[in-house]
Amino acid sequence: MAAVAELSFLLFALSNNIHAEERITVQQENTAYTFSLPENTNSCLISRFVGEEKLVLWNTSDLRSNNSSVPEHLKRLVSTGKTYSYTICSLTHSDSGLYQEECWTKGNLTHEKNISITVCSSMHKMGGTDTRLGKTVDMQCDRAAHNLDIQWLKHDIRYEQEIWTRVFGDNVTSVTDNVRGRYQLVTKTSTLRISNVTITDLGEYTCLMMNQQKCVKSDEKLLRLKSETIYRSVEETAVLPCNVNDFTDDPPPLWKFKQKSLFHTDLGLQNQTVPSVDQNYSLAFSSLMLNHSGWYSCYASKTQQVYLLLVCPKFGPPAVELFSEGEKVTVRCRDWREGTGHYWFIKSNRTEGRVFSVKDQRMSRVSWYYNNGNLVISNVSVEDTGEYWCVVYDPYHQCVSTERTVLVYMEPFGIYSTFFKVRCSVLSVLLLMLCAAVVAVNLRTRRGAQLSAQRET
């Protein structure tokens, strides 16, 4: 109910100032907030809405005047700068509310802005949540108590300051542009669920935990694109798409390359074929080399898309591993050793013949052991058949070797089955016995012929 009351209050306050731009900012208790007003103006007013009243807090010309009528307790709270900036020092919960800036030049209103300030007892940055475009993602509101009202805000990247927009105005209806129906609030957990994620959904979110109209805590989250691991062999081609440039007014995306802690913004390395950037800002490699391996990041609109490209020598003949349904299968990375890292990739009918990182596939029955290089598949099924590739790399993400294991399903009566092997063994024994019998018969026949010949002579 507190969120509903607050939204109704803001809508009432804005009804008389429909042309004013509204910004939402979240501040921690005991910090400061600065109103930065435009210069080249004759005078400015900073007001605050309290209920249905609009109270003028500071008149810039009066505040700077020697004969200022501003009460002394307000002067102590406000720090005036040389460039028309005014700061509320040591914010408290009572400073939360809707403020307005108005400035005049030669009698004309030239600046108007509404600012909603929310002061929280504590603010936490809770890390990032990885997702892929087109997927559904849940943003958790950590440590949200059932007796608190939850408000979700999204950082507006158009502004350098931390300006936020409301995702939900009343915990039900989405008020963010073009997301109506894609954003849902899971009531029991206060989770923000975003369906069919697009580029515009990426960025910073904050979950406000409100006790009536008082902000108890703010938890900030970062929704970002999940990094993708790509395997290629030398002399092959590769294209790394850049899908983060969704704002036509922004500058073109910038590609960066990283090997361990070394960055190259121009992607130019000594003795390395430099990839090209096509019209869609994708990074294209015409003939891959071993030292193309590394991290590639496409930066645009304060968002980045990250790839780990592993270029390896061409692999030799694969090993074959047989399994029956329901078994536990261990696929070994024999070239793994201390001081190296490794990745597992899979190529199967389930992935339509494409090579995917096992880690990216999130296979629930697969355990990846980093300390010995083994990949363990429990309760194995026919769907798990395919090629499993182990890529071993050094600390600079240079590929050292590639091993390939083909996982083959052993059908109950197939050529690899126990029944087939037993049958083959029995048939082999019978064939040997038949051959022995034929040989014995032949020997008897010859011996009989020899005896007959001796008697005749």
Side-chain angles (χ1 to χ4, degrees):
M1 295 301 295
V4 177
E6 182 182 1
L7 181 62
S8 301
F9 162 70
L10 291 176
L11 290 176
F12 176 84
L14 291 174
S15 62
N16 297 323
N17 304 278
I18 194 64
H19 299 295
E21 177 185 19
E22 181 193 7
R23 298 186 182 182
I24 303 172
T25 182
V26 181
Q27 303 291 324
Q28 185 167 345
E29 195 174 18
N30 296 321
T31 61
Y33 181 78
T34 299
F35 295 88
S36 298
L37 302 173
E39 302 182 36
N40 303 323
T41 54
N42 299 127
S43 64
C44 295
L45 293 179
I46 298 176
S47 307
R48 179 178 179 181
F49 293 96
V50 180
E52 299 181 3
E53 296 186 64
K54 177 181 176 181
L55 305 177
V56 177
L57 299 182
W58 308 292
N59 184 323
T60 58
S61 57
D62 190 24
L63 191 62
R64 293 176 182 273
S65 171
N66 293 329
N67 299 321
S68 173
S69 60
V70 176
E72 289 299 323
H73 73 280
L74 288 182
K75 286 184 179 181
R76 288 195 298 270
L77 292 175
V78 179
S79 172
T80 60
K82 295 181 180 180
T83 57
Y84 281 82
S85 62
Y86 296 83
T87 301
I88 304 178
C89 305
S90 190
L91 288 165
T92 65
H93 287 289
S94 61
D95 294 311
S96 297
L98 183 64
Y99 294 78
Q100 186 180 60
E101 299 174 359
E102 296 172 293
C103 294
W104 290 264
T105 303
K106 297 181 179 179
N108 297 318
L109 183 64
T110 54
H111 172 80
E112 187 177 12
K113 183 194 301 181
N114 290 317
I115 303 170
S116 176
I117 299 178
T118 299
V119 181
C120 295
S121 300
S122 63
M123 299 176 66
H124 302 278
K125 290 184 180 290
M126 301 303 297
T129 299
D130 295 330
T131 186
R132 295 191 184 279
L133 298 178
K135 300 295 184 179
T136 296
V137 63
D138 286 346
M139 304 284 287
Q140 303 290 338
C141 187
D142 296 320
R143 298 188 297 275
H146 296 292
N147 61 334
L148 299 179
D149 292 321
I150 303 301
Q151 295 182 21
W152 278 97
L153 306 177
K154 185 178 186 299
H155 183 206
D156 195 330
I157 63 174
R158 294 175 299 173
Y159 305 107
E160 292 296 329
Q161 298 173 293
E162 286 205 359
I163 303 299
W164 302 82
T165 54
R166 283 182 176 80
V167 176
F168 289 95
D170 55 6
N171 286 350
V172 177
T173 307
S174 170
V175 295
T176 304
D177 294 341
N178 301 322
V179 298
R180 192 177 300 275
R182 289 198 302 112
Y183 281 34
Q184 297 178 336
L185 187 67
V186 182
T187 307
K188 292 183 179 180
T189 60
S190 304
T191 298
L192 177 63
R193 177 166 296 165
I194 307 175
S195 305
N196 190 21
V197 172
T198 66
I199 291 298
T200 55
D201 297 323
L202 303 177
E204 296 177 351
Y205 291 77
T206 189
C207 168
L208 299 183
M209 306 175 200
M210 309 291 294
N211 184 2
Q212 297 182 359
Q213 295 186 1
K214 179 180 178 180
C215 179
V216 177
K217 187 182 300 179
S218 164
D219 278 342
E220 188 174 319
K221 304 278 189 177
L222 177 64
L223 182 61
R224 61 198 178 194
L225 285 177
K226 182 178 179 62
S227 62
E228 186 174 347
T229 306
I230 298 176
Y231 170 88
R232 291 291 187 275
S233 293
V234 291
E235 299 179 1
E236 289 185 344
T237 61
V239 176
L240 309 185
C242 182
N243 299 317
V244 297
N245 189 39
D246 199 43
F247 304 96
T248 55
D249 295 335
D250 290 343
L254 173 66
W255 280 96
K256 290 187 178 183
F257 174 70
K258 174 185 177 183
Q259 280 183 331
K260 202 174 181 181
S261 60
L262 186 62
F263 281 92
H264 303 268
T265 56
D266 59 359
L267 295 174
L269 287 177
Q270 188 177 3
N271 300 325
Q272 175 176 328
T273 303
V274 179
S276 60
V277 179
D278 63 18
Q279 60 183 1
N280 296 321
Y281 302 108
S282 298
L283 199 62
F285 299 82
S286 58
S287 181
L288 286 166
M289 302 171 62
L290 290 176
N291 57 2
H292 279 126
S293 295
W295 293 93
Y296 292 83
S297 301
C298 177
Y299 290 85
S301 306
K302 299 183 180 179
T303 305
Q304 65 173 329
Q305 192 166 9
V306 181
Y307 297 94
L308 172 58
L309 177 63
L310 294 169
V311 184
C312 296
K314 294 183 179 179
F315 45 76
V320 177
E321 186 80 25
L322 304 177
F323 72 90
S324 298
E325 198 157 6
E327 291 182 342
K328 179 184 289 187
V329 175
T330 299
V331 187
R332 291 174 174 81
C333 188
R334 295 173 180 83
D335 283 351
W336 179 89
R337 60 186 181 276
E338 292 291 339
T340 62
H342 71 285
Y343 277 95
W344 280 99
F345 294 86
I346 182 174
K347 177 182 179 181
S348 67
N349 292 333
R350 186 159 51 89
T351 59
E352 299 177 351
R354 292 178 293 173
V355 179
F356 281 97
S357 170
V358 172
K359 183 178 181 180
D360 292 341
Q361 289 293 97
R362 292 185 178 180
M363 301 166 69
S364 59
R365 293 178 292 103
V366 173
S367 300
W368 182 359
Y369 293 90
Y370 294 89
N371 59 345
N372 58 17
N374 291 344
L375 189 73
V376 179
I377 308 173
S378 59
N379 193 22
V380 68
S381 67
V382 179
E383 295 181 353
D384 298 315
T385 57
E387 298 179 9
Y388 288 79
W389 300 0
C390 178
V391 174
V392 179
Y393 60 90
D394 64 16
Y396 293 90
H397 282 101
Q398 298 293 297
C399 182
V400 177
S401 66
T402 302
E403 294 179 81
R404 193 167 50 131
T405 301
V406 178
L407 207 58
V408 178
Y409 173 59
M410 190 167 55
E411 297 181 6
F413 301 100
I415 60 174
Y416 296 111
S417 65
T418 303
F419 171 81
F420 185 84
K421 292 177 181 178
V422 171
R423 185 180 66 175
C424 288
S425 299
V426 172
L427 289 176
S428 299
V429 172
L430 292 175
L431 183 60
L432 289 174
M433 293 175 63
L434 179 61
C435 291
V438 171
V439 170
V441 170
N442 287 336
L443 289 174
R444 282 186 180 181
T445 303
R446 289 181 182 178
R447 187 174 298 175
Q450 289 176 354
L451 290 175
S452 297
Q454 291 175 357
R455 289 172 183 172
E456 292 178 356
T457 57

